Amino acid sequence: KSGVKDLKHEYIVNIRPRQEMTGVPLVQQKEHKITSCCCIGKGSSSIKGTFEKESYMPGETATMKCEVDNSQCSVAIKALQFALVREVNLKASYYSESGLTSLVKVQGPGCGPGDVMEGEKAITQQLNLSVGESQPCV
């Protein structure tokens, strides 16, 4: 019909899953064999990351502790980069979509060949999980 305009409106909905606050620490550990020129072994290095709990709410501060064992490696680690990532999976009938959003990125010091950064030498980083108005937390 002439003179009729389409009405459009956008409404942002924040959906937050129910949080089970268990207080159980979240620990991830990884070991990697280091090579140069694709096949010359330089040893192995391991990293262990720990958070004091497994889930956080917007506005909280997460404390991350990172321990590095480079004692079996002859190559220095130049720097450590950390990113706290939010994964969102949307599913409806025959459609699904997923995405990753980096919430916090920080960089820490490296570790020399043969060095160990554990206990008092471990890297401890405070991560502020504040959410700006332009970035809703899902």
Side-chain angles (χ1 to χ4, degrees):
K1 297 178 181 182
S2 64
V4 176
K5 295 183 180 180
D6 291 336
L7 294 177
K8 293 184 180 181
H9 180 69
E10 181 178 327
Y11 185 77
I12 298 173
V13 177
N14 293 327
I15 301 170
R16 293 186 174 100
R18 191 178 85 169
Q19 297 291 316
E20 299 290 334
M21 298 298 205
T22 62
V24 176
L26 177 64
V27 180
Q28 295 286 320
Q29 189 164 348
K30 178 84 175 177
E31 184 172 339
H32 190 71
K33 295 192 185 310
I34 309 298
T35 59
S36 67
C37 300
C38 6
C39 59
I40 300 171
K42 297 292 182 178
S44 64
S45 185
S46 66
I47 187 167
K48 177 181 174 183
T50 306
F51 285 89
E52 70 269 8
K53 58 184 185 175
E54 62 184 345
S55 58
Y56 295 89
M57 295 298 290
E60 287 187 296
T61 299
T63 302
M64 179 208 61
K65 182 178 179 181
C66 179
E67 297 179 309
V68 179
D69 183 351
N70 206 28
S71 63
Q72 302 298 312
C73 189
S74 61
V75 177
I77 298 171
K78 293 180 183 178
L80 296 169
Q81 295 179 346
F82 310 99
L84 188 58
V85 178
R86 172 181 56 208
E87 180 179 8
V88 177
N89 295 304
L90 305 172
K91 295 180 183 179
S93 297
Y94 301 103
Y95 177 78
S96 68
E97 186 172 334
S98 62
L100 296 174
T101 304
S102 181
L103 299 175
V104 179
K105 289 182 182 179
V106 294
Q107 185 166 329
C111 184
D115 288 348
V116 177
M117 297 170 67
E118 293 178 341
E120 294 295 319
K121 293 182 179 181
I123 299 167
T124 302
Q125 183 74 44
Q126 301 290 321
L127 306 174
N128 185 358
L129 304 177
S130 64
V131 178
E133 292 178 13
S134 62
Q135 183 184 3
C137 181
V138 176

